[in-house]
Amino acid sequence: MSYDDVEIEDMEWNEELKAFTYPCPCGDLFQITKDDLKIGEEVARCPSCSLYITVIYNMEDFTDQKSKTNIEPAKQQPVAVA
């Protein structure tokens, strides 16, 4: 069971760790990376204890914009053979 549910807006971006962080009761920080969020991970773990939190966020905010566009392959054109 998760220690708590935390909105991503309540977490802080830590440039050194390259992760969103949130204070853990043990004195360390729960951590989750942008890459974790992109693949749908919602659990931020504390590296110093067994606690973890569930991060509430909109996955669309972390997906690549390129993957959202529907790019269709070029249609094949008929070729006349002599």
Side-chain angles (χ1 to χ4, degrees), residues 42-53:
E42 57 184 28
V43 174
R45 302 187 184 281
C46 176
S48 297
C49 72
S50 62
L51 294 178
Y52 63 92
I53 57 172

Side-chain angles (χ1 to χ4, degrees), residues 2 4-6 11 31-33 36-45 52-57 59:
S2 176
D4 200 0
D5 294 342
V6 178
M11 299 182 79
Q31 304 173 20
I32 191 165
T33 66
D36 290 336
L37 296 169
K38 284 181 184 178
I39 61 170
E41 180 62 61
E42 57 184 28
V43 174
R45 302 187 184 281
Y52 63 92
I53 57 172
T54 302
V55 180
I56 301 167
Y57 71 104
M59 190 171 173

Side-chain angles (χ1 to χ4, degrees), residues 2 5 9-10 12-13 15 19-20 22-23 25 28 33 42-43 46 49 61 65 73-74 76 79 81-82:
S2 176
D5 294 342
E9 293 84 8
D10 294 331
E12 290 186 21
W13 176 252
E15 190 62 37
F20 287 96
Y22 190 78
D28 205 343
T33 66
E42 57 184 28
V43 174
C46 176
C49 72
D61 293 341
Q65 296 298 322
Q76 293 184 353
V79 177
V81 179

